Amino acid sequence: LNRGEYERALELFEESLAIGRERQDQDRFARAFMNLGVTTLMLGDVQRARSLLREGLVAACEIGQVE
């Protein structure tokens, strides 16, 4: 993937996050945070990626996806 595709992916994952919040869909919420985290990491922003991944992990734990 080139950098432009990562930027577009971030936009789409942000949309997914907003939909998850709106619908109170914790599964979508968790997946969006994890996808945002991985994509942000690929773009080199390690600290932001860590924060996003942590949010995704917390959301996943809340719905029993991770113990």
Side-chain angles (χ1 to χ4, degrees), residues 42-60:
M42 298 301 286
L43 288 169
D45 190 345
V46 176
Q47 289 203 342
R48 182 165 184 254
R50 182 179 296 140
S51 176
L52 291 164
L53 290 167
R54 189 171 289 130
E55 289 285 339
L57 181 59
V58 168

Side-chain angles (χ1 to χ4, degrees), residues 5-34:
E5 291 171 329
Y6 285 124
E7 297 295 336
R8 179 66 179 136
L10 286 176
E11 292 172 14
L12 294 172
F13 295 142
E14 289 284 353
E15 281 182 36
S16 184
L17 187 63
I19 291 168
R21 280 188 179 125
E22 179 182 304
R23 295 181 182 172
Q24 297 181 351
D25 181 344
Q26 283 296 101
D27 182 63
R28 179 185 291 260
F29 196 68
R31 289 174 191 273
F33 266 123
M34 298 302 276

